[in-house]
Amino acid sequence: MVDAEGRPIRMDEVAEGEVRMGYLGEDVVLIMREGTAFRAWSAVCTHMACTVRWLAGERQFACHCHGARFNEKGDVARGPATAPLQRMGVRVRDGKFYGA
């Protein structure tokens, strides 16, 4: 997984509860750290494929296009989306993220 400049994102660059956006090939991915574990989702809204962003103060993912919201587990918190964010498989090797 790389950042917008193509640099690998290291696991020690993701703080507890923080969400980072990166790229796994063509996929835009959001990754969250929970202790020593990581969860990752596609950043593509399941309503009409806009890119969601993390609202740290609200602990939700938000879509700016039509107002859909997703909780910190990627589940729909508010429509118009009806499906959760797609989970992405990631693994850590040598402190860096890779697709699973």
Side-chain angles (χ1 to χ4, degrees), residues 3 6 14-15 22 40 47 49 53 59 62-63 73 88 92 97-99:
D3 64 16
V14 183
H47 175 238
R53 68 182 193 281
R59 309 241 358 118
C63 180
K73 294 182 180 181
M88 301 293 286
V92 178
F97 297 105
Y98 297 89

Side-chain angles (χ1 to χ4, degrees), residues 72-88:
E72 60 189 41
K73 294 182 180 181
D75 297 325
V76 176
R78 182 175 82 202
T82 58
L85 294 175
Q86 179 185 347
R87 291 292 301 261
M88 301 293 286

Side-chain angles (χ1 to χ4, degrees), residues 9-64:
I9 298 173
R10 300 187 54 81
M11 64 181 280
D12 58 4
E13 296 173 341
V14 183
E16 175 70 30
E18 179 182 79
V19 173
R20 290 280 308 266
M21 182 180 282
Y23 302 87
L24 281 173
E26 298 292 316
D27 295 319
V28 181
V29 177
L30 300 161
I31 192 157
M32 175 187 280
R33 180 183 203 127
E34 296 177 317
T36 59
F38 294 89
R39 285 191 293 182
W41 302 267
S42 168
V44 176
C45 180
T46 57
H47 175 238
M48 293 194 69
C50 294
T51 302
V52 299
R53 68 182 193 281
W54 176 244
L55 302 176
E58 298 179 39
R59 309 241 358 118
Q60 290 188 335
F61 299 99
C63 180
H64 68 283

